[in-house]
Amino acid sequence: MAARSQSVLLCLLGLAFAYPAAASLESGTVRMGGPEEEHRWGYLGKFGYGLGVGTYDLRMRLRQPLPKDARSVRVDFDVFLDEDWDRVETQSPCRRSMDARQTHRMVEVGRHGDWSPWVGGELAQSVRPHFWYFALSGCGLSSASIDPKDIEFELVMRQADQSHFSMELIWMPTATGIALLSLTAFLARFVTSCRRFRQSAGTVHPVIRTLALAIVLQWTAQVLHLMHFRDRKSVV
């Protein structure tokens, strides 16, 4: 029975490591438009790129489709380097695009509730890793006078080696995997010891059963944590 329990644990552990991974995806909704400048700029997210040439891709759609006779909604998609970000945050919303290292001008948002085409680019690091920040700006003439609109977005970011982990998370799957392996070995030994004790004593104290339940819950949490890192939505 002890060997069977260990086999089940190892099978579950293997499934956790075999779970497919894909690109990192930031998604959400920003409200843009209207006469006030502060409502015509929206932060999307950030990503830490390592050395090499990383990529990013963005698509958008309106939460509420436009009427047939309404003008298309167009926004600027700006990319900022971490070295400029502190200065960017101190500026007025419609001046921030001036510090963008890359700008995609007048990107049309999906008009009828459908996703827009993907818009993307490349970011190269040759000296050291950098964080890059992504934002939308509706300060252009074609979007300054529209009523506020809720824009849904999906932002996909990849490292030069196609890894989907930002620099601050790049070692987290390995660390979580090591922790899970260690906990699996401990859990297997704990189960074996409990079975031997029950065979000799006839029963297991409720405190030990409670401890066993806590260990199983911790093991399950580690499995889910690892799957969280590996379960990222892919975009074709």
Side-chain angles (χ1 to χ4, degrees):
M1 294 296 293
R4 183 179 178 181
S5 299
Q6 293 178 12
S7 299
V8 172
L9 290 174
L10 291 175
C11 288
L12 291 174
L13 182 61
L15 289 175
F17 278 101
Y19 208 83
S24 176
L25 174 66
E26 289 279 355
S27 61
T29 303
V30 293
R31 169 159 284 198
M32 303 195 69
E36 297 183 10
E37 183 177 334
E38 64 184 36
H39 296 152
R40 286 186 267 139
W41 192 90
Y43 172 78
L44 302 184
K46 68 176 182 177
F47 191 78
Y49 288 93
L51 298 181
V53 181
T55 61
Y56 62 88
D57 294 281
L58 173 76
R59 67 176 182 176
M60 300 172 288
R61 67 179 178 185
L62 292 175
R63 176 169 290 182
Q64 297 295 331
L66 292 173
K68 293 183 178 180
D69 58 346
R71 291 187 302 172
S72 299
V73 177
R74 295 177 179 269
V75 294
D76 295 342
F77 175 36
D78 297 332
V79 184
F80 302 90
L81 183 63
D82 52 7
E83 296 175 351
D84 305 324
W85 188 246
D86 288 342
R87 182 174 65 255
V88 169
E89 290 187 300
T90 63
Q91 296 177 346
S92 62
C94 284
R95 291 185 58 86
R96 292 172 181 172
S97 292
M98 297 175 62
D99 281 323
R101 295 297 179 105
Q102 292 191 25
T103 298
H104 301 268
R105 296 291 183 189
M106 297 301 171
V107 179
E108 184 171 343
V109 182
R111 181 181 178 87
H112 300 296
D114 299 326
W115 288 106
S116 67
W118 287 100
V119 176
E122 297 179 341
L123 297 170
Q125 279 72 227
S126 58
V127 178
R128 67 173 180 86
H130 284 281
F131 277 92
W132 291 83
Y133 296 79
F134 304 90
L136 292 180
S137 173
C139 294
L141 293 177
S142 61
S143 61
S145 59
I146 67 170
D147 294 331
K149 301 293 182 183
D150 290 327
I151 300 176
E152 296 181 359
F153 69 90
E154 289 186 350
L155 178 61
V156 181
M157 298 152 288
R158 295 182 179 89
Q159 301 283 3
D161 61 357
Q162 298 303 303
S163 169
H164 58 289
F165 291 107
S166 183
M167 287 303 299
E168 75 275 17
L169 296 176
I170 198 166
W171 292 109
M172 283 303 297
T174 301
T176 304
I178 293 174
L180 183 56
L181 284 172
S182 302
L183 188 57
T184 300
F186 174 79
L187 181 57
R189 184 174 180 82
F190 182 82
V191 170
T192 301
S193 299
C194 287
R195 289 184 180 277
R196 290 176 179 173
F197 183 81
R198 187 176 63 179
Q199 290 174 356
S200 62
T203 185
V204 177
H205 196 278
V207 173
I208 298 180
R209 295 179 182 179
T210 303
L211 177 60
L213 177 61
I215 296 173
V216 170
L217 292 176
Q218 180 63 34
W219 185 89
T220 304
Q222 287 291 344
V223 171
L224 295 176
H225 196 194
L226 183 61
M227 292 175 66
H228 166 72
F229 282 120
R230 301 178 70 85
D231 181 20
R232 300 297 182 95
K233 292 174 67 177
S234 60
V235 178
V236 178

